[in-house]
Amino acid sequence: MIQLPESIYNKMLNAAVSSSEEICGLLGGEISDGLKLIRKIYFLENTEHSGTHYSVNPKEQLDAVRDMRKSGLIPIGNSHSHPKSPSIPSEEDIRLAYDYDAVYLILSPLNKPYLRAFCIENGQFVGEELTIE
């Protein structure tokens, strides 16, 4: 189960609806008794500047991981938006997913719920329970 503060959700939603590009970021937090608590989102530049795929700025990614370590957080996963498709993994998302410990959040203003959480099990994306509080 994943717990996301409403303030972070609102930042993600505002960023996604205000851009025609895919918005991407890293999620820092902590894990307690199997509950993945997201404490901070690090928005990263989409170096593709595309509405259908993204690549993150590697320097910003490294800076985010350094900040997590300094802040006592661990990498929980990543997030990105789908401005032109629903919040389900695309073929590209599936092909590029490699971290079986990561949470994958996908946000799309085209459907409700806007934000969905996934993990990888047996090489497949599987929905994961997400609460926004």
Side-chain angles (χ1 to χ4, degrees):
M1 179 179 204
I2 303 156
Q3 187 177 73
L4 178 71
E6 189 171 3
S7 61
I8 294 175
Y9 169 74
N10 288 333
K11 287 178 187 177
M12 293 170 66
L13 186 59
N14 289 336
V17 298
S18 66
S19 178
S20 60
E21 295 181 8
E22 286 197 7
I23 302 300
C24 50
L26 292 181
L27 306 167
E30 56 194 67
I31 299 175
S32 176
D33 297 323
L35 178 64
K36 298 169 184 172
L37 305 160
I38 298 170
R39 300 291 186 213
K40 188 170 183 179
I41 184 166
Y42 297 84
F43 290 107
L44 306 175
E45 176 191 8
N46 176 352
T47 60
E48 300 290 329
H49 302 287
S50 168
T52 56
H53 58 276
Y54 73 95
S55 295
V56 298
N57 179 312
K59 181 187 180 318
E60 289 180 356
Q61 183 177 20
L62 182 58
D63 290 345
V65 172
R66 285 181 179 145
D67 186 75
M68 282 184 221
R69 289 181 183 151
K70 187 172 69 174
S71 302
L73 303 174
I74 60 170
I76 298 291
N78 62 67
S79 70
H80 72 280
S81 65
H82 282 183
K84 300 177 182 181
S85 62
S87 53
I88 58 173
S90 67
E91 291 296 323
E92 184 171 310
D93 294 336
I94 294 166
R95 183 173 50 81
L96 295 176
Y98 64 90
D99 189 344
Y100 280 67
D101 295 323
V103 168
Y104 295 86
L105 297 184
I106 303 175
L107 189 145
S108 173
L110 299 180
N111 62 278
K112 286 187 180 181
Y114 298 124
L115 182 65
R116 292 188 175 138
F118 300 90
C119 62
I120 303 172
E121 291 180 8
N122 300 319
Q124 299 291 319
F125 270 97
V126 176
E128 192 161 337
E129 187 175 349
L130 170 69
T131 60
I132 299 171
E133 300 181 355

